[in-house]
Amino acid sequence: MESSHTKDPVYSFNGDDDDDDDVDGIPTLIDDVLKPTTSIASKPSFAREEAKSEKGIVSNTEDAKAVFTIDGEGFDVILSEEKGKILWSPMSASGRKKSGRKLSGMLRGRRPSLAEKSTEDGVAMKYLFGVQVRRKPTTNNEKGLCQGIVLSMLERKHENFLREKTIFMEHPSEELCTTWEERIMAYIKSAHQRPQTVKLFFQPYAGAKTGRTMFQRTIYPLFQSAGISVDASEIVHSEYVKQAIAHLNFEDYDCIVCMGGDGTVSQVVDALMNRSQKEKGVDIKTGASAAAAPVPLGIIPTGRTNHVAFSLMGGIDPVTAALHIIYGHYQPVDVCSIITPEKTCRWGFNSQYGFAGQVLTYLKRYKSLGSKRVDASIIKALTKAKLRAYECEIEYIPAENQRKGEQIPCTTGCPICMEASKYGNVTDFSTDTVQELDPLNQSFTSNTSSVIDLPQDSPWKIVKGKYMNVGLFAIPGRTKMAPQGHSKYTHLSDGTVDLILVKETERKEFVRHLRRHSNSKNQNDFPFIEVVKAKEVRFRPRYPTGWNYNDHDFSEIKYQMEREGSQMQNQESMEVINDLERANSISTLDISDEDDDDDSDTEDKEPKPQMLGPQYRRTFTEIEVERRRKIARKKEEKQKAREESKMLSVWNIDNQPFKTLELDIKVHHGLLAICACGVSPHTEYEDVRATCLS
């Protein structure tokens, strides 16, 4: 017979279940109103494929029946793999009459929840993620004395928070409990595409430095109850993640998990995406289309800000993040490639230049303040001596659909992200349409101009000016100080980034803009703020025209020699062009190697020895003059450094400092799958009071 359970989507917003009706009443992760009807078929499967029929799971085994004790009362329990349920009913008539009494023994040590009514008659096995035999340690038996089986499932604690729910069914038979455990676990593994083996990188010193204790007492027991094999590695130095992922065999793992703060997430994402490009032979620096990550990424937040996990889950609860990984809830996310002038590539989600970069530089200075260092850094950056605008030149390719009138936040089952995933990227502008000058090409004659202009239909737009902050957001960037995000209407997977340009304005107006991050008002609704949806951005800092500084490394003789050399090279190129015009053929050109032979003969000659006179001895006056010049030069260099610090800032890439200023940033649509299901549309936000801005 066929089961009512349908095949789970491989890569969807709502995880495992696509049933339209919740007959068992178990609280699900996704609201039925916003549940998507189709999955993203363009993404690969990240979990092991199990043998399934086209319509569902076919079971030929008979129903198992036994008597278990639940909350001190006897129940007839039926394990029906055909229906995919575990049903129970009280044995005594008095138990049936006690309708007001709940099965309080199902939630050991926890307060009763609204989901208890759903487990009065049974539970659907599709909601379970683990089953274990509970044993009592004894001296005679190594395994211990069998007490029963424990069913593990989840329930909703809040709109965006989940917790584990356990149901304990007592029975003394070791053979019976082991058989039930094997059958239930086999059904769970065959009915769902969930990870079975994970590679976990955890940073024990992130945030409150409780990562090791939390992993041992909370996270690892959850994975163990779900039957997931965990290969855990502690991050011991800054290059550890990069080296480990470079030699990792992705076929051995169903998911890569990082446990830490924003720095840990940035390291894992950077190493994972670079390894993916290397395996596919993609050179992202040349403008080629990037390759997607072969395995999904799980994030267990234990840091201070955790803006990536907050943006995808609506909170920073480690248990909720672990349950998303266990159930295999995958959310596609846009990732940005960041290329420097040295052609080095790194990956990230959000990037900011200006005020946000200055705040990040002051965090190390106030590290001793603990949790108050963020407020102290913001106050320092807002002082009149530090708050300033920066000269920038920004080139960008605008997206086709700007959606200026729409202000729709990204939530679970977002229609904008689903529409973008359906059609994908239509156009990929990766290279400039600039023709290179070739002096041997006959089309470039002496009558033509040497200046080559960009074509009129170039997709690039250029803006120049003074900006107090430049932000590029691929995700909303939610934090405790900005619960709705630094960019409230940025979507997770629409193939664009929000380019937010905060122009030069008064200090009080800029503070008003910052205060709106902590309330429900639109922080970008100001005349000095411009928001553009872009696909690719090029950023270049600008220096003032009047720069009063003596360059001691400048040599007039060297400059004149380089200038004459360039003029001679241009003259030779023009002679070649004139010869082509006169002869209209390359056969009349003198291409003999006589001059080369003469040059080789001169090179073979030994240099003549130079006669050296007596060594000149400097006077004390000359030594003193040179010493004073060195002192003056050091003062000028310090003055130059101070002036440059006022004119330039640093990049804040995912709350990590990045000192290279000239960057080329390009967004890639849905390259990475992260274990999450988005923010609930019913989330209620409360205004946060920022003490540093009051």
Side-chain angles (χ1 to χ4, degrees):
M1 297 180 66
E2 297 178 356
S3 173
S4 60
H5 182 81
T6 58
K7 185 176 180 180
D8 301 325
V10 173
Y11 196 87
S12 63
F13 288 90
N14 61 334
D16 294 321
D17 308 311
D18 280 341
D19 298 338
D20 294 333
D21 298 327
D22 193 1
V23 295
D24 298 294
I26 302 296
T28 57
L29 293 176
I30 305 304
D31 302 90
D32 295 334
V33 179
L34 297 176
K35 187 181 296 183
T37 57
T38 58
S39 61
I40 303 175
S42 60
K43 301 301 175 185
S45 174
F46 296 110
R48 290 191 176 92
E49 293 289 346
E50 303 292 344
K52 297 183 180 181
S53 64
E54 295 181 356
K55 296 183 179 180
I57 302 171
V58 179
S59 176
N60 297 324
T61 58
E62 297 181 355
D63 296 346
K65 300 180 180 180
V67 177
F68 288 89
T69 302
I70 303 176
D71 196 22
E73 295 183 6
F75 284 81
D76 291 325
V77 183
I78 301 175
L79 172 61
S80 177
E81 297 183 29
E82 179 183 347
K83 297 180 180 179
K85 295 182 179 180
I86 300 176
L87 304 173
W88 52 68
S89 59
M91 298 178 61
S92 61
S94 60
R96 297 187 182 94
K97 294 180 181 180
K98 295 179 181 180
S99 58
R101 182 176 180 180
K102 306 293 187 302
L103 298 177
S104 59
M106 295 181 181
L107 298 175
R108 297 291 183 182
R110 296 194 179 107
R111 62 179 179 83
S113 67
L114 297 176
E116 284 193 11
K117 294 182 180 180
S118 62
T119 57
E120 290 184 357
D121 299 329
V123 62
M125 286 191 289
K126 63 182 179 181
Y127 295 115
L128 301 177
F129 68 85
V131 57
Q132 282 184 326
V133 177
R134 177 178 291 182
R135 295 180 175 87
K136 182 179 180 180
T138 58
T139 57
N140 299 331
N141 192 352
E142 295 181 357
K143 293 184 178 180
L145 183 63
C146 178
Q147 292 182 319
I149 59 176
V150 180
L151 305 178
S152 299
M153 58 184 297
L154 65 80
E155 67 174 353
R156 185 180 295 278
K157 181 181 179 182
H158 197 259
E159 286 86 354
N160 297 306
F161 291 88
L162 309 174
R163 68 179 180 184
E164 180 190 11
K165 176 181 178 180
T166 58
I167 302 175
F168 178 47
M169 302 191 303
E170 300 180 18
H171 199 285
S173 175
E174 176 78 23
E175 181 180 358
L176 177 68
C177 293
T178 304
T179 303
W180 278 55
E181 178 190 18
E182 293 176 354
R183 292 184 61 176
I184 295 173
M185 186 58 70
Y187 182 91
I188 294 174
K189 291 183 178 180
S190 62
H192 303 286
Q193 295 176 351
R194 297 175 181 173
Q196 301 298 323
T197 58
V198 299
K199 176 65 178 179
L200 188 142
F201 297 95
F202 73 96
Q203 175 57 263
Y205 301 105
K209 301 180 180 181
T210 59
R212 186 180 290 106
T213 303
M214 181 174 294
F215 172 73
Q216 295 175 353
R217 297 182 180 180
T218 306
I219 304 302
Y220 184 72
L222 283 175
F223 287 139
Q224 193 176 19
S225 61
I228 297 177
S229 176
V230 181
D231 182 8
S233 299
E234 181 178 341
I235 301 175
V236 293
H237 54 83
S238 59
E239 296 293 328
Y240 180 81
V241 175
K242 180 179 179 181
Q243 297 173 2
I245 293 183
H247 300 87
L248 203 65
N249 186 9
F250 289 146
E251 296 181 357
D252 296 338
Y253 303 100
D254 298 325
C255 183
I256 304 295
V257 181
C258 60
M259 182 175 175
D262 290 331
T264 307
V265 175
S266 179
Q267 292 179 15
V268 175
V269 170
D270 192 48
L272 180 61
M273 296 305 300
N274 283 331
R275 168 72 185 279
S276 303
Q277 311 314 309
K278 184 178 180 180
E279 282 192 346
K280 298 295 183 180
V282 177
D283 189 4
I284 196 67
K285 304 164 191 175
T286 60
S289 299
V295 291
L297 175 66
I299 301 175
I300 301 178
T302 58
R304 295 188 183 275
T305 52
N306 306 298
H307 80 289
V308 179
F310 210 134
S311 300
L312 273 75
M313 306 176 196
I316 52 174
D317 181 35
V319 175
T320 301
L323 290 174
H324 283 308
I325 297 171
I326 291 172
Y327 274 83
H329 301 147
Y330 300 132
Q331 168 68 50
V333 183
D334 296 339
V335 189
C336 295
S337 61
I338 305 169
I339 302 176
T340 63
E342 293 79 13
K343 296 300 180 181
T344 59
C345 179
R346 66 167 297 173
W347 301 80
F349 299 99
N350 293 343
S351 305
Q352 297 185 75
Y353 177 85
F355 176 78
Q358 292 300 108
V359 171
L360 203 60
T361 57
Y362 299 136
L363 284 177
K364 290 185 178 181
R365 183 182 302 180
Y366 302 117
K367 188 176 181 180
S368 59
L369 298 179
S371 60
K372 298 293 183 180
R373 62 176 181 170
V374 178
D375 294 342
S377 301
I378 294 176
I379 294 173
K380 180 68 175 179
L382 284 174
T383 57
K384 293 183 179 180
K386 301 298 181 181
L387 183 63
R388 60 179 63 90
Y390 302 92
E391 287 276 357
C392 306
E393 178 179 341
I394 303 170
E395 303 177 25
Y396 64 92
I397 298 178
E400 289 82 1
N401 187 8
Q402 292 293 324
R403 301 195 303 270
K404 292 185 178 180
E406 300 179 4
Q407 293 183 353
I408 303 174
C410 187
T411 57
T412 302
C414 175
I416 295 177
C417 294
M418 295 181 64
E419 188 72 15
S421 301
K422 182 178 180 181
Y423 293 101
N425 291 333
V426 180
T427 308
D428 185 16
F429 300 102
S430 57
T431 57
D432 293 337
T433 56
V434 181
Q435 189 176 3
E436 186 178 0
L437 176 62
D438 187 3
L440 297 179
N441 193 342
Q442 295 184 7
S443 61
F444 292 98
T445 61
S446 59
N447 296 328
T448 59
S449 175
S450 61
V451 179
I452 304 174
D453 298 328
L454 288 172
Q456 297 296 329
D457 57 348
S458 175
W460 291 93
K461 306 295 182 182
I462 303 177
V463 292
K464 301 178 183 179
K466 288 186 176 182
Y467 300 98
M468 305 187 74
N469 194 74
V470 178
L472 290 92
F473 296 91
I475 59 177
R478 294 183 173 93
T479 59
K480 290 183 178 179
M481 297 186 65
Q484 299 186 48
H486 290 84
S487 180
K488 298 179 182 178
Y489 306 110
T490 299
H491 290 263
L492 299 175
S493 182
D494 62 346
T496 62
V497 292
D498 283 1
L499 175 61
I500 301 178
L501 305 175
V502 182
K503 302 177 183 178
E504 185 178 14
T505 184
E506 297 180 359
R507 180 177 179 273
K508 62 178 182 180
E509 295 295 327
F510 186 72
V511 172
R512 287 182 59 197
H513 160 67
L514 295 180
R515 285 176 179 172
R516 289 195 177 185
H517 285 82
S518 58
N519 54 42
S520 58
K521 296 181 180 179
N522 185 7
Q523 65 266 48
N524 299 326
D525 189 13
F526 288 97
F528 57 88
I529 297 179
E530 182 181 358
V531 181
V532 180
K533 287 194 171 294
K535 291 184 176 180
E536 190 171 353
V537 178
R538 294 174 180 171
F539 179 87
R540 301 292 183 268
R542 299 181 66 193
Y543 296 91
T545 56
W547 177 253
N548 186 14
Y549 175 72
N550 296 326
D551 190 0
H552 297 278
D553 296 330
F554 176 76
S555 175
E556 182 69 24
I557 299 175
K558 186 177 180 181
Y559 171 74
Q560 291 294 341
M561 292 177 63
E562 292 178 353
R563 183 179 179 184
E564 291 178 1
S566 61
Q567 291 178 356
M568 292 178 61
Q569 186 177 3
N570 294 335
Q571 186 177 0
E572 291 176 358
S573 300
M574 295 304 299
E575 290 178 357
V576 172
I577 294 175
N578 293 332
D579 291 340
L580 288 173
E581 290 179 350
R582 289 193 302 268
N584 290 327
S585 174
I586 199 170
S587 60
T588 61
L589 294 178
D590 186 10
I591 56 175
S592 61
D593 298 335
E594 295 179 359
D595 296 338
D596 298 338
D597 296 339
D598 296 339
D599 296 339
S600 61
D601 294 340
T602 56
E603 291 177 358
D604 295 339
K605 295 180 180 180
E606 297 181 358
K608 296 180 180 180
Q610 297 180 359
M611 302 300 295
L612 299 177
Q615 185 177 3
Y616 176 74
R617 186 173 182 179
R618 295 183 300 171
T619 62
F620 291 104
T621 303
E622 292 175 343
I623 295 174
E624 182 66 18
V625 170
E626 184 179 357
R627 187 183 68 83
R628 293 186 179 184
R629 286 178 179 175
K630 289 182 179 180
I631 295 175
R633 183 173 179 177
K634 288 183 179 180
K635 290 183 179 180
E636 290 180 359
E637 290 177 353
K638 290 182 180 179
Q639 180 66 19
K640 178 185 176 182
R642 284 194 294 267
E643 294 295 332
E644 285 184 348
S645 64
K646 294 180 181 180
M647 293 184 297
L648 302 176
S649 180
V650 297
W651 276 97
N652 180 344
I653 300 178
D654 293 334
N655 294 327
Q656 302 298 314
F658 196 69
K659 294 184 179 181
T660 304
L661 302 183
E662 299 182 3
L663 299 179
D664 295 345
I665 302 175
K666 182 179 180 181
V667 62
H668 303 274
H669 177 52
L671 284 191
L672 184 62
I674 297 181
C675 296
C677 64
V679 180
S680 173
H682 303 296
T683 304
E684 297 181 359
Y685 298 99
E686 296 181 358
D687 294 348
V688 179
R689 182 182 178 184
T691 57
C692 57
L693 300 176
S694 58

